[in-house]
């Protein structure tokens, strides 16, 4: 996992460096071009989260896949959504639980970045509502007795709770950089706050697909993503 985080960190640095390089190159070109207002593309951008694919390959306790998409409907505003499926086994000292299921997050993004002529990048802030349907399977656990005099009391009988639901809101910060015509690399981080959740009988949710890990101390969660997406232009408008 440490190698995964290092790899993804360097992707973020690369995206920022590419954005800065594009801006410098575009500034130079703009000096020699006419003053006619440039056209900007509007359309559907769709892709996948490569962070989940990489983690699935290197972490035997995790499986995940996510489709991402957005649609630019007005100048700097985008309708955005993510749909996916995740499964994670949390193997703690006293408990082993697996959370698995599907989720959707939907909302609006606002691009704070002022593109130069010919650029279609974004540095955005967004708001999402998330909803997940999932199962929690208690694989094994230890009963706390206050003493180990009689040895550890480990229960290995599996218990599964199906059809659970949870919802949350999240604040998203991200960047999308056009590497070649209509092809984008992106990175984002989000802060999530649980609104509601169904609790399994006899134990708590330790992992909610789409939301992430949970704990007893806070209803705040953190997520991240690294995406590859392609823009399908529908039409152009003057900037």
């Amino acid at each position: 996992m440490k190698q995964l985080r290092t790899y993804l960190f360097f992707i973020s640095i690369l995206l920022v460096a590419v954005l800065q390089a594009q801006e410098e190159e575009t500034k130079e070109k703009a000096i020699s071009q006419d003053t006619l207002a440039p056209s900007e593309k509007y359309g559907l951008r769709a892709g996948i989260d490569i962070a989940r694919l990489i983690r699935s390959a290197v972490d035997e306790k995790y499986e995940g896949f996510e489709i991402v998409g957005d649609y630019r409907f007005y100048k700097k505003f985008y309708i955005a959504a993510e749909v996916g499926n995740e499964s994670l086994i949390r193997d703690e000292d006293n408990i082993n639980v697996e959370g698995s299921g599907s989720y959707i997050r939907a909302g609006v993004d606002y691009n704070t970045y002022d593109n130069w002529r010919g650029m279609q990048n974004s540095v955005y802030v967004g708001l999402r509502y998330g909803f997940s349907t999932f199962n929690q399977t208690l694989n094994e656990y230890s009963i706390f007795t206050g003493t180990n005099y009689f040895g550890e009391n480990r229960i290995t009988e599996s218990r599964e709770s199906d059809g659970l639901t949870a919802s949350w809101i999240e604040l998203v910060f991200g960047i999308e950089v056009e590497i070649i015509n209509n092809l984008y690399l992106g990175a984002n981080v989000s802060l999530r706050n649980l609104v509601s959740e169904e609790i399994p009988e006899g134990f708590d949710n330790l992992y909610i697909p789409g939301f992430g890990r949970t704990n007893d101390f806070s209803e705040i969660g953190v997520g991240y993503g690294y995406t590859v997406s392609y823009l399908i232009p529908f039409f152009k408008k003057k900037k």
Side-chain angles (χ1 to χ4, degrees):
M1 285 300 296
K2 184 177 180 180
Q3 291 180 338
L4 173 61
R5 293 192 184 99
T6 301
Y7 175 74
L8 296 177
F9 173 75
F10 280 112
I11 293 179
S12 301
I13 298 298
L14 176 62
L15 287 175
V16 174
V18 170
L19 181 63
Q20 291 176 339
Q22 287 184 354
E23 183 172 332
E24 291 300 321
E25 180 182 359
T26 307
K27 284 180 181 179
E28 295 176 0
K29 290 182 179 179
I31 296 175
S32 60
Q33 291 180 341
D34 57 44
T35 58
L36 293 177
S39 297
E40 294 191 341
K41 292 176 284 189
Y42 285 66
L44 176 65
R45 184 166 51 194
I48 59 173
D49 186 336
I50 59 175
R52 282 170 170 76
L53 297 181
I54 296 173
R55 185 178 178 186
S56 297
V58 301
D59 186 353
E60 62 182 13
K61 295 181 180 179
Y62 175 85
E63 290 184 4
F65 181 78
E66 181 176 286
I67 298 173
V68 301
D70 62 43
Y71 178 77
R72 184 182 186 184
F73 66 95
Y74 181 74
K75 293 184 178 179
K76 293 193 172 187
F77 290 91
Y78 297 73
I79 296 174
E82 299 86 33
V83 179
N85 185 277
E86 284 186 315
S87 174
L88 177 72
I89 297 175
R90 285 193 64 175
D91 191 7
E92 310 289 346
D93 291 336
N94 297 315
I95 193 171
N96 182 295
V97 177
E98 178 179 1
S100 61
S102 302
Y103 62 89
I104 181 171
R105 298 190 296 264
V108 176
D109 290 337
Y110 175 75
N111 183 13
T112 65
Y113 184 72
D114 290 324
N115 282 291
W116 284 75
R117 176 189 293 270
M119 295 177 65
Q120 295 268 163
N121 302 319
S122 62
V123 178
Y124 64 89
V125 58
L127 188 64
R128 301 281 191 280
Y129 174 80
F131 181 80
S132 177
T133 60
F134 59 98
N135 303 331
Q136 288 283 334
T137 302
L138 181 60
N139 296 316
E140 57 180 294
Y141 61 98
S142 297
I143 297 178
F144 180 74
T145 60
T147 177
N148 289 326
Y149 182 80
F150 297 103
E152 184 181 34
N153 188 3
R154 193 77 173 179
I155 308 300
T156 58
E157 181 180 353
S158 178
R159 295 168 54 188
E160 184 174 0
S161 295
D162 300 328
L164 302 173
T165 63
S167 64
W168 63 92
I169 56 174
E170 61 181 81
L171 186 63
V172 186
F173 303 92
I175 179 174
E176 292 280 354
V177 178
E178 188 176 23
I179 303 301
I180 58 177
N181 189 35
N182 295 332
L183 183 65
Y184 290 78
L185 287 181
N188 63 77
V189 63
S190 58
L191 296 176
R192 301 165 178 167
N193 184 49
L194 271 175
V195 175
S196 65
E197 65 171 320
E198 291 185 86
I199 306 296
E201 183 177 354
F203 62 103
D204 288 334
N205 295 313
L206 295 186
Y207 185 82
I208 298 174
F211 177 85
R213 290 173 177 261
T214 64
N215 58 68
D216 296 331
F217 309 105
S218 174
E219 294 182 343
I220 301 297
V222 178
Y224 64 89
Y226 291 83
T227 60
V228 177
S229 57
Y230 185 81
L231 173 65
I232 304 173
F234 293 158
F235 56 89
K236 292 184 178 181
K237 286 184 179 181
K238 294 295 183 180
K239 185 174 180 180

